[in-house]
Coordinates of all heavy atoms in Angstrom, one line a residue:
M1 N -14.9 -29.1 -11.3 CA -13.9 -28.0 -10.7 C -14.1 -26.8 -11.7 O -13.9 -27.0 -12.9 CB -12.5 -28.4 -10.6 CG -11.6 -27.5 -9.8 SD -10.2 -28.4 -9.1 CE -8.9 -27.7 -9.9
H2 N -14.2 -25.6 -11.1 CA -14.2 -24.4 -11.9 C -12.9 -23.7 -12.0 O -12.3 -23.5 -10.9 CB -15.3 -23.4 -11.4 CG -16.7 -24.0 -11.5 ND1 -17.3 -24.8 -10.6 CD2 -17.7 -23.8 -12.3 CE1 -18.4 -25.1 -10.9 NE2 -18.7 -24.6 -12.0
E3 N -12.6 -23.2 -13.1 CA -11.4 -22.3 -13.2 C -11.8 -20.9 -13.3 O -12.8 -20.5 -14.0 CB -10.7 -22.7 -14.5 CG -10.0 -24.0 -14.4 CD -9.1 -24.2 -15.6 OE1 -8.5 -23.3 -16.0 OE2 -9.0 -25.4 -16.1
H4 N -11.2 -20.1 -12.5 CA -11.5 -18.6 -12.4 C -10.3 -17.9 -13.2 O -9.2 -18.1 -13.0 CB -11.5 -18.1 -11.0 CG -12.6 -18.8 -10.2 ND1 -14.0 -18.3 -10.4 CD2 -12.8 -19.9 -9.4 CE1 -14.7 -19.2 -9.6 NE2 -14.0 -20.0 -9.0
S5 N -10.8 -17.0 -14.1 CA -9.7 -16.3 -14.7 C -9.8 -14.7 -14.2 O -10.9 -14.3 -13.9 CB -9.9 -16.2 -16.2 OG -11.2 -15.7 -16.5
I6 N -8.7 -14.1 -14.2 CA -8.6 -12.8 -13.8 C -8.3 -11.8 -15.0 O -7.4 -12.2 -15.8 CB -7.5 -12.5 -12.8 CG1 -7.8 -13.3 -11.5 CG2 -7.3 -11.1 -12.5 CD1 -6.7 -13.3 -10.5
D7 N -9.1 -10.9 -15.3 CA -8.9 -10.0 -16.5 C -7.7 -9.1 -16.2 O -7.8 -8.3 -15.2 CB -10.1 -9.2 -16.7 CG -10.0 -8.2 -17.9 OD1 -9.1 -8.4 -18.6 OD2 -10.9 -7.4 -18.1
R8 N -6.7 -9.2 -16.8 CA -5.5 -8.5 -16.6 C -5.3 -7.5 -17.8 O -4.2 -6.9 -17.9 CB -4.3 -9.4 -16.5 CG -4.2 -10.2 -15.2 CD -3.1 -11.2 -15.1 NE -3.3 -12.1 -14.1 CZ -2.7 -12.1 -12.9 NH1 -2.1 -11.0 -12.6 NH2 -2.9 -13.0 -12.1
S9 N -6.3 -7.2 -18.5 CA -6.2 -6.3 -19.6 C -6.1 -4.9 -19.0 O -6.6 -4.5 -18.0 CB -7.4 -6.4 -20.5 OG -8.6 -6.0 -19.8
T10 N -5.3 -4.0 -19.8 CA -5.2 -2.7 -19.4 C -5.4 -1.7 -20.5 O -5.6 -2.1 -21.7 CB -3.7 -2.4 -18.9 OG1 -2.8 -2.8 -19.9 CG2 -3.4 -3.2 -17.6
N11 N -5.5 -0.5 -20.2 CA -5.7 0.6 -21.2 C -4.4 0.9 -21.9 O -3.3 1.0 -21.2 CB -6.4 1.8 -20.6 CG -7.7 1.5 -20.1 OD1 -8.4 0.5 -20.6 ND2 -8.2 2.2 -19.1
A12 N -4.4 1.3 -23.1 CA -3.3 1.9 -24.0 C -2.1 1.1 -23.9 O -1.0 1.6 -23.9 CB -3.1 3.4 -23.4
G13 N -2.2 -0.2 -23.7 CA -1.0 -1.1 -23.8 C 0.0 -1.1 -22.6 O 1.1 -1.5 -22.7
S14 N -0.5 -0.4 -21.5 CA 0.5 -0.4 -20.4 C 0.5 -1.7 -19.7 O -0.3 -2.7 -19.9 CB -0.1 0.7 -19.3 OG -1.4 0.3 -18.9
A15 N 1.6 -1.9 -18.9 CA 1.8 -3.2 -18.2 C 0.6 -3.5 -17.3 O 0.0 -2.7 -16.7 CB 3.1 -3.1 -17.4
P16 N 0.2 -4.8 -17.2 CA -0.9 -5.2 -16.2 C -0.5 -5.0 -14.9 O 0.7 -5.0 -14.5 CB -1.1 -6.7 -16.5 CG 0.2 -7.2 -17.3 CD 0.9 -6.0 -18.0
A17 N -1.4 -4.6 -14.0 CA -1.2 -4.3 -12.6 C -1.0 -5.7 -11.9 O -1.6 -6.7 -12.1 CB -2.4 -3.7 -12.0
A18 N 0.0 -5.6 -11.0 CA 0.3 -6.9 -10.2 C -0.8 -7.0 -9.1 O -1.1 -6.1 -8.5 CB 1.7 -6.7 -9.5
I19 N -1.2 -8.2 -8.9 CA -2.2 -8.5 -7.9 C -1.5 -9.2 -6.8 O -0.9 -10.2 -7.0 CB -3.4 -9.5 -8.4 CG1 -4.1 -8.8 -9.6 CG2 -4.3 -9.8 -7.4 CD1 -5.0 -9.6 -10.4
K20 N -1.6 -8.5 -5.6 CA -1.0 -9.0 -4.4 C -1.9 -10.0 -3.7 O -3.0 -9.8 -3.5 CB -0.5 -7.9 -3.5 CG 0.7 -7.1 -4.0 CD 1.1 -6.2 -3.0 CE 2.3 -5.4 -3.5 NZ 2.9 -4.5 -2.4
D21 N -1.3 -11.0 -3.1 CA -2.0 -12.0 -2.3 C -2.0 -11.4 -0.8 O -0.9 -11.4 -0.2 CB -1.4 -13.4 -2.3 CG -2.2 -14.3 -1.4 OD1 -3.2 -14.0 -0.8 OD2 -1.7 -15.5 -1.4
R22 N -3.0 -10.9 -0.3 CA -3.1 -10.1 1.0 C -3.5 -11.1 2.2 O -3.6 -10.6 3.3 CB -4.2 -9.0 1.0 CG -3.9 -7.9 -0.1 CD -2.8 -7.2 0.2 NE -2.7 -6.0 -0.7 CZ -1.8 -5.1 -0.7 NH1 -0.7 -5.3 0.1 NH2 -1.9 -4.1 -1.4
R23 N -3.7 -12.4 1.8 CA -4.1 -13.3 2.9 C -3.2 -13.4 4.1 O -3.6 -13.6 5.2 CB -4.4 -14.6 2.4 CG -5.6 -14.8 1.4 CD -5.8 -16.1 0.9 NE -4.7 -16.3 0.0 CZ -4.7 -17.4 -0.8 NH1 -5.6 -18.4 -0.7 NH2 -3.7 -17.6 -1.7
K24 N -1.9 -13.2 3.9 CA -0.9 -13.3 4.9 C -0.3 -12.0 5.2 O 0.7 -11.9 6.0 CB 0.1 -14.4 4.7 CG -0.5 -15.8 4.6 CD 0.6 -16.8 4.3 CE 0.0 -18.2 4.3 NZ 1.0 -19.3 4.1
D25 N -0.8 -10.9 4.7 CA -0.3 -9.6 4.9 C -0.8 -9.0 6.2 O -2.0 -8.9 6.3 CB -0.6 -8.7 3.6 CG 0.4 -7.7 3.3 OD1 1.4 -7.5 4.1 OD2 0.3 -7.1 2.2
S26 N 0.1 -8.3 7.0 CA -0.3 -7.7 8.1 C -0.7 -6.2 7.8 O -0.2 -5.7 6.8 CB 0.7 -7.6 9.2 OG 1.2 -8.9 9.6
L27 N -1.4 -5.6 8.6 CA -1.9 -4.3 8.5 C -1.1 -3.5 9.6 O -1.0 -3.9 10.7 CB -3.4 -4.1 8.8 CG -4.2 -4.3 7.5 CD1 -5.7 -4.5 7.9 CD2 -3.9 -3.4 6.4
F28 N -0.5 -2.3 9.3 CA 0.3 -1.6 10.1 C -0.6 -0.2 10.4 O -1.0 0.2 9.5 CB 1.6 -1.0 9.6 CG 2.7 -2.1 9.5 CD1 3.8 -1.8 8.8 CD2 2.6 -3.3 10.2 CE1 4.9 -2.7 8.7 CE2 3.7 -4.1 10.2 CZ 4.8 -3.9 9.4
R29 N -0.6 0.0 11.7 CA -1.3 1.4 12.0 C -0.2 2.5 11.9 O 0.9 2.2 11.7 CB -1.8 1.2 13.5 CG -2.8 0.2 13.8 CD -4.2 0.5 13.2 NE -4.7 1.8 13.7 CZ -5.4 1.9 14.8 NH1 -5.7 0.9 15.5 NH2 -5.9 3.1 15.1
V30 N -0.7 3.7 11.9 CA 0.1 4.8 11.6 C 1.5 4.9 12.5 O 2.4 5.2 12.0 CB -0.6 6.2 11.7 CG1 -1.0 6.6 13.0 CG2 0.1 7.2 10.9
K31 N 1.4 4.5 13.8 CA 2.5 4.6 14.7 C 3.6 3.5 14.1 O 4.8 3.8 14.1 CB 2.2 4.3 16.1 CG 1.5 5.4 16.7 CD 2.3 6.5 16.9 CE 1.5 7.6 17.7 NZ 2.2 8.8 17.9
A32 N 3.2 2.5 13.7 CA 4.1 1.4 13.2 C 4.7 1.8 11.8 O 5.8 1.7 11.5 CB 3.4 0.1 13.0
V33 N 3.9 2.5 11.1 CA 4.4 3.0 9.8 C 5.5 4.1 9.9 O 6.5 4.1 9.3 CB 3.2 3.6 8.8 CG1 3.7 4.2 7.6 CG2 2.3 2.4 8.5
Q34 N 5.2 4.9 11.0 CA 6.1 6.0 11.3 C 7.4 5.3 11.7 O 8.6 5.7 11.3 CB 5.7 6.8 12.5 CG 4.7 7.9 12.2 CD 4.3 8.7 13.4 OE1 3.6 8.3 14.2 NE2 4.9 9.9 13.5
V35 N 7.4 4.4 12.6 CA 8.6 3.7 13.1 C 9.4 3.1 11.9 O 10.5 3.2 11.8 CB 8.3 2.6 14.2 CG1 9.5 1.8 14.5 CG2 7.8 3.4 15.4
R36 N 8.6 2.3 11.1 CA 9.2 1.6 9.9 C 9.8 2.5 8.9 O 10.8 2.2 8.4 CB 8.2 0.7 9.3 CG 8.7 -0.2 8.2 CD 9.7 -1.3 8.9 NE 10.2 -2.1 7.8 CZ 11.5 -2.1 7.4 NH1 12.3 -1.1 7.9 NH2 12.0 -2.8 6.4
T37 N 9.2 3.7 8.7 CA 9.7 4.6 7.6 C 10.5 5.7 8.0 O 11.2 6.2 7.3 CB 8.4 5.1 6.8 OG1 7.7 5.9 7.7 CG2 7.6 4.0 6.2
G38 N 10.3 6.2 9.2 CA 11.1 7.3 9.8 C 10.3 8.6 9.3 O 10.8 9.7 9.5
L39 N 9.2 8.5 8.9 CA 8.4 9.8 8.3 C 7.4 10.1 9.4 O 6.8 9.3 10.2 CB 7.7 9.3 7.1 CG 8.5 9.0 5.9 CD1 7.5 8.6 4.8 CD2 9.4 10.1 5.5
S40 N 7.1 11.4 9.5 CA 6.0 12.0 10.3 C 4.6 11.8 9.7 O 4.5 11.3 8.6 CB 6.3 13.5 10.4 OG 5.9 14.1 9.2
V41 N 3.7 11.7 10.6 CA 2.3 11.5 10.1 C 2.0 12.5 9.0 O 1.5 12.0 7.9 CB 1.3 11.7 11.3 CG1 -0.1 11.5 10.8 CG2 1.5 10.6 12.3
A42 N 2.4 13.7 9.1 CA 2.0 14.8 8.1 C 2.7 14.3 6.7 O 2.0 14.4 5.6 CB 2.4 16.2 8.5
T43 N 4.0 13.9 6.8 CA 4.6 13.5 5.5 C 4.0 12.2 5.0 O 3.9 12.2 3.6 CB 6.1 13.2 5.8 OG1 6.7 14.5 6.4 CG2 6.8 12.8 4.6
I44 N 3.6 11.3 5.8 CA 3.0 10.1 5.3 C 1.7 10.6 4.5 O 1.5 10.0 3.3 CB 2.6 9.1 6.4 CG1 3.9 8.5 7.0 CG2 1.6 8.0 6.0 CD1 3.8 7.8 8.4
Y45 N 0.9 11.3 5.1 CA -0.4 11.7 4.4 C -0.2 12.5 3.1 O -0.8 12.4 2.1 CB -1.4 12.3 5.4 CG -2.0 11.4 6.4 CD1 -1.7 11.3 7.7 CD2 -3.0 10.4 5.9 CE1 -2.3 10.4 8.4 CE2 -3.5 9.6 6.7 CZ -3.2 9.5 8.0 OH -3.8 8.6 8.9
R46 N 0.8 13.5 3.2 CA 1.1 14.2 2.1 C 1.7 13.4 1.0 O 1.2 13.5 -0.3 CB 2.1 15.4 2.5 CG 2.4 16.3 1.2 CD 3.4 17.4 1.6 NE 4.8 16.8 1.8 CZ 5.5 16.8 2.9 NH1 4.9 17.2 4.0 NH2 6.6 16.2 3.0
R47 N 2.6 12.6 1.2 CA 3.1 11.7 0.1 C 2.1 10.8 -0.4 O 2.1 10.5 -1.6 CB 4.3 10.9 0.7 CG 5.5 11.9 0.9 CD 6.8 11.1 1.1 NE 7.2 10.4 -0.2 CZ 8.4 9.9 -0.4 NH1 9.4 10.0 0.5 NH2 8.5 9.3 -1.6
E48 N 1.2 10.3 0.4 CA 0.2 9.4 0.0 C -0.8 10.2 -1.0 O -1.1 9.7 -2.1 CB -0.8 9.0 1.1 CG -1.9 8.0 0.7 CD -2.8 7.7 1.8 OE1 -3.0 8.4 2.8 OE2 -3.5 6.6 1.8
S49 N -1.1 11.4 -0.7 CA -2.0 12.2 -1.6 C -1.2 12.5 -2.9 O -1.8 12.6 -4.0 CB -2.4 13.5 -0.9 OG -1.4 14.4 -0.7
Q50 N 0.1 12.5 -2.9 CA 0.9 12.9 -4.1 C 1.2 11.5 -4.9 O 1.7 11.6 -6.1 CB 2.2 13.4 -3.8 CG 2.2 14.8 -3.2 CD 3.6 15.1 -2.5 OE1 4.4 14.4 -2.3 NE2 3.6 16.5 -2.2
G51 N 0.7 10.5 -4.3 CA 0.9 9.1 -5.0 C 2.4 8.5 -4.9 O 2.8 7.5 -5.5
S52 N 3.1 9.1 -3.9 CA 4.5 8.7 -3.7 C 4.7 7.8 -2.4 O 5.8 7.8 -1.7 CB 5.5 9.9 -3.7 OG 5.2 10.7 -2.7
F53 N 3.6 7.4 -1.9 CA 3.5 6.5 -0.6 C 2.3 5.6 -0.8 O 1.4 5.9 -1.4 CB 3.3 7.4 0.6 CG 3.6 6.8 1.8 CD1 4.9 6.5 2.3 CD2 2.6 6.2 2.6 CE1 5.2 5.9 3.5 CE2 2.8 5.5 3.8 CZ 4.1 5.3 4.2
P54 N 2.4 4.4 -0.3 CA 1.3 3.4 -0.3 C -0.1 4.0 0.2 O -0.1 4.8 1.1 CB 1.6 2.2 0.5 CG 3.2 2.3 0.6 CD 3.5 3.8 0.6
K55 N -1.1 3.5 -0.5 CA -2.5 4.0 -0.1 C -2.9 3.2 1.2 O -2.8 2.0 1.3 CB -3.4 3.7 -1.2 CG -4.8 4.4 -1.0 CD -5.6 4.1 -2.3 CE -6.9 4.9 -2.0 NZ -7.7 4.8 -3.2
R56 N -3.5 4.0 2.0 CA -4.1 3.3 3.4 C -5.4 2.6 3.0 O -6.0 2.8 2.0 CB -4.5 4.3 4.4 CG -5.4 5.4 4.0 CD -5.5 6.5 4.8 NE -6.0 7.6 3.9 CZ -5.9 9.0 4.2 NH1 -5.4 9.3 5.4 NH2 -6.4 9.8 3.3
T57 N -5.8 1.8 3.9 CA -7.0 1.1 3.7 C -7.9 1.2 5.1 O -7.3 1.2 6.1 CB -6.8 -0.4 3.3 OG1 -8.0 -1.1 3.0 CG2 -6.2 -1.2 4.6
A58 N -9.1 1.3 4.9 CA -10.0 1.5 6.1 C -10.2 0.2 6.8 O -10.5 -0.8 6.1 CB -11.4 2.0 5.7
I59 N -10.0 0.2 8.0 CA -10.1 -1.1 8.8 C -11.2 -0.9 9.9 O -11.5 -1.8 10.7 CB -8.9 -1.6 9.4 CG1 -8.2 -0.6 10.3 CG2 -7.9 -2.1 8.3 CD1 -6.9 -1.0 10.9
G60 N -11.8 0.2 9.9 CA -12.9 0.6 10.9 C -13.4 2.0 10.5 O -13.1 2.6 9.6
R61 N -14.4 2.4 11.3 CA -15.0 3.6 11.0 C -14.0 4.8 11.2 O -14.1 5.7 10.3 CB -16.2 4.0 12.1 CG -17.4 3.2 11.6 CD -18.6 3.5 12.5 NE -18.6 4.8 13.1 CZ -19.5 5.4 13.9 NH1 -20.5 4.8 14.1 NH2 -19.2 6.6 14.5
R62 N -13.2 4.8 12.1 CA -12.2 5.9 12.2 C -10.7 5.2 12.4 O -9.9 5.7 13.2 CB -12.5 6.6 13.5 CG -13.8 7.5 13.3 CD -14.2 8.2 14.5 NE -13.0 8.9 15.1 CZ -13.1 9.9 15.9 NH1 -14.3 10.3 16.4 NH2 -12.0 10.4 16.5
C63 N -10.5 4.2 11.6 CA -9.2 3.4 11.7 C -8.8 3.2 10.4 O -9.6 2.5 9.6 CB -9.5 2.3 12.6 SG -8.0 1.3 13.0
V64 N -7.5 3.4 10.1 CA -6.9 3.0 8.9 C -5.6 2.2 9.2 O -5.0 2.3 10.2 CB -6.5 4.2 7.9 CG1 -7.9 4.9 7.6 CG2 -5.5 5.1 8.7
G65 N -5.1 1.5 8.1 CA -4.0 0.8 8.2 C -3.3 0.7 6.9 O -4.0 1.0 5.7
W66 N -2.0 0.4 6.8 CA -1.2 0.1 5.6 C -0.9 -1.3 5.5 O -0.4 -1.9 6.6 CB -0.1 1.1 5.5 CG -0.4 2.5 5.3 CD1 -0.3 3.1 4.0 CD2 -0.8 3.4 6.3 NE1 -0.7 4.5 4.2 CE2 -1.0 4.6 5.5 CE3 -1.0 3.4 7.6 CZ2 -1.5 5.8 6.2 CZ3 -1.5 4.6 8.2 CH2 -1.7 5.7 7.5
Y67 N -0.9 -1.9 4.4 CA -0.3 -3.4 4.2 C 1.1 -3.4 4.4 O 1.8 -2.5 3.8 CB -0.8 -4.0 3.0 CG -2.3 -4.2 2.8 CD1 -3.2 -3.6 2.1 CD2 -2.6 -5.4 3.5 CE1 -4.5 -3.9 2.1 CE2 -4.0 -5.8 3.4 CZ -4.9 -5.0 2.8 OH -6.2 -5.4 2.7
E68 N 1.6 -4.3 5.1 CA 3.0 -4.4 5.4 C 3.8 -4.6 4.2 O 4.9 -4.0 4.0 CB 3.2 -5.7 6.3 CG 4.7 -5.9 6.7 CD 4.9 -7.2 7.6 OE1 4.0 -7.9 7.7 OE2 6.0 -7.3 8.1
S69 N 3.4 -5.3 3.1 CA 4.1 -5.5 2.0 C 4.2 -4.3 1.1 O 5.3 -3.9 0.6 CB 3.4 -6.6 1.0 OG 2.1 -6.2 0.8
D70 N 3.2 -3.4 1.2 CA 3.2 -2.0 0.6 C 4.4 -1.2 1.3 O 5.1 -0.5 0.5 CB 2.0 -1.4 0.5 CG 0.9 -2.1 -0.3 OD1 1.3 -2.7 -1.2 OD2 -0.3 -1.7 -0.2
I71 N 4.4 -1.2 2.5 CA 5.4 -0.4 3.3 C 6.8 -0.9 3.0 O 7.7 -0.2 2.9 CB 5.1 -0.5 4.8 CG1 3.7 0.3 5.1 CG2 6.1 0.3 5.6 CD1 3.6 1.6 4.6
E72 N 6.9 -2.2 3.0 CA 8.2 -2.8 2.6 C 8.7 -2.4 1.2 O 9.8 -2.1 1.0 CB 8.1 -4.3 2.7 CG 8.0 -4.8 4.1 CD 9.1 -4.3 5.1 OE1 10.2 -4.3 4.7 OE2 8.7 -4.0 6.3
D73 N 7.8 -2.5 0.2 CA 8.1 -1.9 -1.2 C 8.6 -0.4 -1.0 O 9.5 0.0 -1.7 CB 6.9 -2.0 -2.0 CG 6.5 -3.4 -2.4 OD1 7.3 -4.2 -2.1 OD2 5.4 -3.6 -2.9
F74 N 7.9 0.4 -0.3 CA 8.3 1.8 -0.1 C 9.6 1.9 0.4 O 10.6 2.6 0.0 CB 7.3 2.6 0.8 CG 7.7 3.9 1.0 CD1 7.5 5.0 0.1 CD2 8.3 4.2 2.3 CE1 8.0 6.3 0.4 CE2 8.8 5.5 2.6 CZ 8.6 6.5 1.7
V75 N 9.9 1.2 1.6 CA 11.2 1.3 2.3 C 12.3 0.8 1.4 O 13.4 1.3 1.5 CB 11.1 0.4 3.6 CG1 12.4 0.2 4.2 CG2 10.2 1.1 4.6
A76 N 12.0 -0.2 0.6 CA 13.2 -0.7 -0.3 C 13.7 0.4 -1.2 O 14.8 0.4 -1.7 CB 12.6 -1.8 -1.2
D77 N 12.8 1.4 -1.7 CA 13.2 2.5 -2.7 C 12.3 3.7 -2.4 O 11.4 3.9 -3.2 CB 13.2 1.9 -4.1 CG 13.8 2.9 -5.1 OD1 14.4 3.9 -4.6 OD2 13.6 2.8 -6.3
P78 N 12.5 4.4 -1.3 CA 11.5 5.5 -1.0 C 11.6 6.7 -2.0 O 10.5 7.3 -2.2 CB 12.0 5.9 0.4 CG 13.3 5.5 0.5 CD 13.5 4.2 -0.4
F79 N 12.7 6.9 -2.7 CA 12.8 8.0 -3.5 C 12.1 7.8 -4.9 O 11.7 8.8 -5.6 CB 14.2 8.5 -3.7 CG 14.8 9.0 -2.4 CD1 15.7 8.3 -1.7 CD2 14.3 10.2 -1.9 CE1 16.3 8.7 -0.6 CE2 14.8 10.7 -0.7 CZ 15.9 9.9 0.0
N80 N 12.0 6.6 -5.3 CA 11.5 6.2 -6.6 C 10.1 5.5 -6.5 O 9.6 5.0 -7.6 CB 12.4 5.4 -7.5 CG 13.7 6.2 -7.7 OD1 13.6 7.3 -8.2 ND2 14.8 5.5 -7.5
Y81 N 9.4 5.4 -5.3 CA 8.2 4.7 -5.1 C 7.1 5.4 -5.8 O 6.9 6.7 -5.6 CB 7.9 4.5 -3.6 CG 6.6 3.8 -3.3 CD1 6.6 2.5 -3.4 CD2 5.4 4.5 -3.4 CE1 5.5 1.7 -3.2 CE2 4.3 3.8 -3.1 CZ 4.3 2.4 -3.2 OH 3.1 1.7 -2.9
R82 N 6.3 4.7 -6.6 CA 5.1 5.2 -7.1 C 4.1 4.2 -7.0 O 4.3 3.1 -7.3 CB 5.3 5.6 -8.6 CG 6.1 6.8 -8.9 CD 5.3 8.0 -8.5 NE 6.1 9.2 -8.6 CZ 6.2 10.2 -7.7 NH1 5.6 10.0 -6.5 NH2 7.0 11.2 -7.8
R83 N 3.0 4.6 -6.5 CA 1.8 3.7 -6.2 C 1.4 3.1 -7.5 O 1.2 3.9 -8.5 CB 0.7 4.5 -5.6 CG -0.1 3.7 -4.5 CD -1.1 4.6 -3.8 NE -1.7 5.7 -4.5 CZ -1.9 6.8 -3.9 NH1 -1.4 7.1 -2.7 NH2 -2.6 7.8 -4.6
P84 N 1.1 1.9 -7.6 CA 0.6 1.3 -8.9 C -0.8 1.7 -9.2 O -1.5 2.2 -8.4 CB 0.6 -0.2 -8.6 CG 0.9 -0.5 -7.1 CD 1.3 0.8 -6.5

């Protein structure tokens, strides 16, 4: 049996990044993100570019989604959310 290790080292002594298990995480399309957060599409994309909203992930050539757990983290504290 092989043991796999994950390098959790970081630069300049900052805290290690948390690694999320995405195997059971759903992907939300933009309409579901709007409903869950109450934000407009423009605000979602603007906050994402500023780093104050979860980053989207490509799920097709012209299709993106957001992980449900990332949206839940945002909804829990939207004013202090910062992308890891």
Side-chain angles (χ1 to χ4, degrees):
M1 188 154 119
H2 294 84
E3 289 188 34
H4 298 280
S5 63
I6 298 173
D7 181 12
R8 296 178 190 261
S9 60
T10 58
N11 296 334
S14 62
I19 298 174
K20 290 187 176 184
D21 183 3
R22 301 286 193 191
R23 290 179 291 187
K24 294 183 181 180
D25 213 349
S26 298
L27 284 168
F28 285 169
R29 298 288 303 273
V30 72
K31 290 288 183 188
V33 173
Q34 283 184 282
V35 169
R36 187 68 183 105
T37 63
L39 300 175
S40 70
V41 173
T43 301
I44 291 168
Y45 284 110
R46 185 180 68 248
R47 288 192 68 164
E48 180 188 27
S49 71
Q50 296 170 341
S52 61
F53 195 81
K55 190 174 182 178
R56 66 191 148 197
T57 188
I59 55 178
R61 279 185 24 175
R62 292 177 44 163
C63 183
V64 297
W66 287 261
Y67 284 106
E68 180 179 14
S69 62
D70 291 344
I71 298 303
E72 295 303 319
D73 291 346
F74 172 80
V75 169
D77 192 8
F79 296 107
N80 295 312
Y81 181 87
R82 287 286 175 234
R83 224 178 20 230

